[in-house]
Amino acid sequence: MIFLVLSIICSVTVGVLLKLAKRYQINIMQAVTWNYLFAIGLSLIFFKPDFGAIRIADFSPVYLIIGILLPVIFLVQGRAVQQTGLARTDIAQRLSLFISLCAAYFLFNESFDRLKYVGLVFGLVAIVFTMYRKTDSLSTKKGWLYLLFVFVGFGVIDVCFKLVSQVTIIPYTTSLFLIFCLAFVLSLAYILYLSVTKQTKLQLINFICGCVLGFFNFGNILFYLKAHREMAENPSTVFAAMNIGVIITGSIIGIFLFKERLSKLNYFGLILALVAIVLITLSKLHAVR
């Protein structure tokens, strides 16, 4: 259980760091780039990738897709946190599981029961209420779009990781290492382009913050995998506890630490999101029995 708690802490900490980035004028794109460099180093230590299993012929195009999406969505997540707050962004990210569920039904031919259908309905309604804001200013509209991109982006990434897990020729942890390398190379090429064209300036503080971000980002993945190994017979428990834990913890920190304001409809959406995840978890437990 300790691994699950550590994974939740690391996941929420990433959101907090992205929230603080604007306050301390940290360049998110640079921080995200160095985050992947640090993740590569930690992967070598903890995952011990099997380089002998890597062949160009076995290289799946999905690796490239995830390598592009990860830094892009990370950047969008940072903007969403700054525009709409930590609570809403965490909820949007966790509700992206409904895209994964739709893919499971349409792409992977997974069977659905009534509980899962009801959970999906609750989740979709929760998305609407969570993202709702009264004002119609330009910044608010952009914030709503950032939340939508977070929702869709993380959902697509989850589906792609599911496809990666089906690659049996290369070990999963080695695949993660390759994806981190791709994300770093592509991100580095982009910030170097911005630097050469003098649209941005490389700064040491962004490198330091990127390493801190990479530590918690990698910790989230490492402890999440360890939690699944520790509770191998109850994967749905890990899945639900992770989603609910992040939503509740992120909301509490956003409301009390950053003084984020949520409307009654937003709170209602938060409750619906938790109910949806519980229903989907019960569906999985029922399927196991």
Side-chain angles (χ1 to χ4, degrees), residues 135-169:
T135 56
D136 293 320
S137 64
L138 182 60
S139 60
T140 300
K141 289 180 180 179
K142 286 183 178 179
W144 190 90
L145 286 174
Y146 284 134
L147 287 178
L148 184 61
F149 287 141
V150 167
F151 168 70
V152 175
F154 276 100
V156 173
I157 287 174
D158 284 343
V159 174
C160 288
F161 271 119
K162 172 66 176 178
L163 293 172
V164 169
S165 69
Q166 295 179 337
V167 177
T168 57
I169 301 176

Side-chain angles (χ1 to χ4, degrees), residues 18-260:
L18 292 174
K19 177 75 173 179
L20 294 173
K22 185 177 181 180
R23 181 181 300 179
Y24 295 100
Q25 298 181 335
I26 302 300
N27 186 299
I28 295 180
M29 190 63 225
Q30 289 185 36
V32 167
T33 300
W34 305 125
N35 142 79
Y36 288 117
L37 177 62
F38 200 73
I40 290 171
L42 292 175
S43 296
L44 290 172
I45 298 172
F46 291 98
F47 288 162
K48 295 180 174 56
D50 182 9
F51 295 107
I54 302 174
R55 295 186 305 174
I56 299 297
D58 301 327
F59 192 87
S60 172
V62 180
Y63 292 159
L64 181 59
I65 295 173
I66 302 178
I68 295 172
L69 282 178
L70 278 178
V72 171
I73 296 303
F74 218 144
L75 183 62
V76 172
Q77 182 186 11
R79 297 286 175 84
V81 169
Q82 294 172 5
Q83 290 279 343
T84 67
L86 179 62
R88 288 188 182 89
T89 304
D90 275 339
I91 295 171
Q93 178 183 347
R94 293 300 154 181
L95 285 176
S96 65
L97 70 96
F98 298 106
I99 293 179
S100 304
L101 289 174
C102 289
Y105 182 80
F106 292 106
L107 296 180
F108 305 114
N109 299 317
E110 182 179 327
S111 60
F112 278 32
D113 59 14
R114 290 181 181 179
L115 282 175
K116 192 169 290 186
Y117 281 120
V118 175
L120 280 172
V121 172
F122 271 90
L124 293 173
V125 176
I127 293 166
V128 176
F129 283 120
T130 301
M131 296 183 180
Y132 174 78
R133 298 187 74 176
K134 291 182 179 180
T135 56
D136 293 320
S137 64
L138 182 60
S139 60
T140 300
K141 289 180 180 179
K142 286 183 178 179
W144 190 90
L145 286 174
Y146 284 134
L147 287 178
L148 184 61
F149 287 141
V150 167
F151 168 70
V152 175
F154 276 100
V156 173
I157 287 174
D158 284 343
V159 174
C160 288
F161 271 119
K162 172 66 176 178
L163 293 172
V164 169
S165 69
Q166 295 179 337
V167 177
T168 57
I169 301 176
I170 301 176
Y172 188 68
T173 51
T174 303
S175 294
L176 284 176
F177 174 79
L178 290 174
I179 290 168
F180 286 147
C181 289
L182 277 171
F184 171 67
V185 170
L186 295 174
S187 301
L188 181 63
Y190 181 63
I191 64 169
L192 288 178
Y193 166 77
L194 293 178
S195 178
V196 170
T197 57
K198 297 182 179 180
Q199 297 181 51
T200 188
K201 182 180 179 181
L202 297 178
Q203 295 177 307
L204 180 61
I205 185 63
N206 296 320
F207 173 78
I208 296 173
C209 291
C211 290
V212 175
L213 187 66
F215 175 81
F216 287 103
N217 190 30
F218 182 82
N220 174 33
I221 297 171
L222 177 65
F223 293 130
Y224 188 64
L225 291 175
K226 285 183 175 292
H228 270 293
R229 289 181 181 177
E230 186 183 60
M231 294 182 278
E233 296 180 357
N234 297 286
S236 58
T237 301
V238 178
F239 179 77
M242 182 67 187
N243 283 277
I244 294 173
V246 169
I247 287 177
I248 293 176
T249 307
S251 297
I252 291 173
I253 291 177
I255 293 168
F256 291 99
L257 183 61
F258 295 110
K259 309 300 180 183
E260 296 175 0

